[in-house]
Amino acid sequence: MSKPFFKILRNATVYAPENLGQKDILIAGEKIAAVGENLPSLPDYNCEEIDLTGCSLMPGFIDGHVHLIGGGGEGGYATRTPEIQLSQITTSGVTTVCGLMGTDGVTRHDESLLAKVRGLEDEGITAWMYSGSYELPTPTITGGVRRDIIIIDKVIGAGEVALSDHRSAQPTCQAYRELAAEARVGGMLSGKAGVINMHVGDGKDCLKYLYEITENGEIPKTQFLPTHINRNPWLFEDGIKWAKDGGIMDITSGIGGPDEEKAVKPSTAAKRALDAGVPAANITMSSDGNGSMPIFDAEGNTIGVGVASEITMFTELRDMIRDEGIDPSVAIGFVTSNVARVLKLSTKGHVEAGFDADFVVVDGDFKLNQVWARGQEMVKDGAPIVFGTFEHHR
Ligand code: ZN
């Protein structure tokens, strides 16, 4: 028998991300067809029914900052991280990714990233990309950021461009301003976000240039998505000010581990931002996954390099809800609906009829139980059941 086109997920507590209470969800192909109570069975069709009593269901996570084809390389050629594999993404609860390049815009290419994006779509999730890398002028596919966004369906913006970082190209404020204009008009003409994903480093200038551009000119604050905002206390304070002034702050779930003493733990950063008066709508979270991550010994010496995981999207969401006491629908919004709004992903981030059937299902202890992407169960009982082409498994 062919795979069922219709599926009904029954009796989960649904966070859409707002709490809808206990609901049933009808999936038709890759889409949510209905959300309601006691939805009728479809005996005339090949329809699979799954009981999720005792579980909570939320939109699949949208990770807006992932180094899909690898990142790093800052410790030499041997430290270039490998490409990410499908199940590394899905087992983190992530069903939509936005890929980008970082420090290395020479030996990695936007064309390779585009191919990876298309490959991940073929493997069952949803993927987009930013055009460019840390440097300015930034590498592109067609010769310009504006052209890339308009002509290439999968390109939604520019980045990650480095700001206030010793690894940036040390551009003038005007160069950032011109890039923002390129991305903005590209986004307008293609109906996309056209945002600039702005990697912010440890430099003392923090978001100074973004203030200069947006307060002395026509580019709105929302054209920029400054990220790694929790990497140190001084940037975090500037990020709170930025987000209270109408900008978006993107917290990186992958920084703040035990080796990163000056970083603010992501879940704590979210709580502190809310307490400081940042509107919840102005907070997003992304993983920075699949970039390089130095490994230290007990004395703090670098002894190797690892690869950052996207699992922090899941663990930090759990910590926001359980440890920080953030309302679940608010915290879930940071990794779903808020990201969809900022990146203009119109079929993502909500459990609602007409949206893509992307779900994360957790049990009563907030353990990852199932992950669904475009109507297909990718993770079952916490383990992947769908694998990428080159993943070895039994
Ligand atoms: Zn970065």
Side-chain angles (χ1 to χ4, degrees), residues 11 22 42 59 92 118 258 260 323 354 381 389:
N11 304 316
Q22 200 167 305
L42 300 174
S92 306
R118 296 204 195 286
E260 294 170 300
D323 300 344
D381 299 326
T389 312

Side-chain angles (χ1 to χ4, degrees), residues 7 31 54 96 106 139 169-170 192 206 213 243 247 257 316 321 330:
K7 290 144 193 157
K31 294 284 183 182
T96 300
V106 173
Q170 307 300 323
K192 297 178 192 168
C206 301
I213 292 165
E316 291 299 325
I321 295 169
V330 170

Side-chain angles (χ1 to χ4, degrees), residues 65 67 134 160 199 228 288:
H65 192 118
H67 294 283
Y134 270 19
E160 63 174 312
H199 159 107
H228 315 325
D288 200 13

Side-chain angles (χ1 to χ4, degrees), residues 363-376:
D363 67 14
D365 296 323
F366 215 96
K367 284 211 182 70
L368 187 70
N369 184 335
Q370 297 175 1
V371 178
W372 292 73
R374 287 164 41 206
Q376 184 182 9

Side-chain angles (χ1 to χ4, degrees), residues 86-261:
L86 178 71
S87 71
Q88 294 174 295
I89 299 172
T90 55
T91 53
S92 306
V94 174
T95 57
T96 300
V97 286
C98 198
L100 36 62
M101 299 201 298
T103 323
D104 182 1
V106 173
T107 78
R108 298 183 195 274
H109 307 98
D110 282 318
E111 291 87 345
S112 321
L113 180 56
L114 178 60
K116 180 71 179 178
V117 161
R118 296 204 195 286
L120 287 170
E121 292 246 331
D122 288 347
E123 291 177 341
I125 65 166
T126 305
W128 277 284
M129 64 178 278
Y130 289 98
S131 151
S133 69
Y134 270 19
E135 68 218 68
L136 267 183
T138 205
T140 66
I141 295 175
T142 65
V145 159
R146 180 196 310 227
R147 288 182 64 83
D148 277 10
I149 296 171
I150 295 169
I151 288 170
I152 302 168
D153 56 345
K154 287 293 165 192
V155 177
I156 61 163
E160 63 174 312
V161 177
L163 173 73
S164 300
D165 193 294
H166 62 100
R167 292 162 293 180
S168 85
Q170 307 300 323
T172 62
C173 187
Q174 181 60 20
Y176 290 111
R177 188 192 296 273
E178 287 168 14
L179 176 75
E182 282 282 295
R184 176 172 173 78
V185 177
M188 291 172 75
L189 293 177
S190 60
K192 297 178 192 168
V195 294
I196 299 97
N197 195 301
M198 196 62 89
H199 159 107
V200 194
D202 284 330
K204 296 289 180 198
D205 279 347
C206 301
L207 305 177
K208 187 175 102 179
Y209 276 7
L210 301 193
Y211 272 104
E212 168 64 25
I213 292 165
T214 56
E215 298 198 338
N216 301 296
E218 298 82 31
I219 306 283
K221 286 195 172 62
T222 48
Q223 209 65 43
F224 294 99
L225 183 55
T227 189
H228 315 325
I229 242 41
N230 54 315
R231 71 182 307 142
N232 65 52
W234 56 93
L235 176 60
F236 185 57
E237 289 312 313
D238 211 29
I240 284 177
K241 179 174 182 300
W242 171 260
K244 286 172 80 170
D245 287 342
I248 310 292
M249 64 189 292
D250 190 50
I251 296 168
T252 298
S253 65
I255 47 184
D259 296 323
E260 294 170 300
E261 282 158 13

Side-chain angles (χ1 to χ4, degrees), residues 303-325:
I303 52 169
V305 59
V307 181
S309 166
E310 287 185 281
I311 192 64
T312 51
M313 290 282 278
F314 183 81
T315 53
E316 291 299 325
L317 173 64
R318 179 198 63 202
D319 293 352
M320 284 194 279
I321 295 169
R322 292 214 309 205
D323 300 344
E324 302 293 346

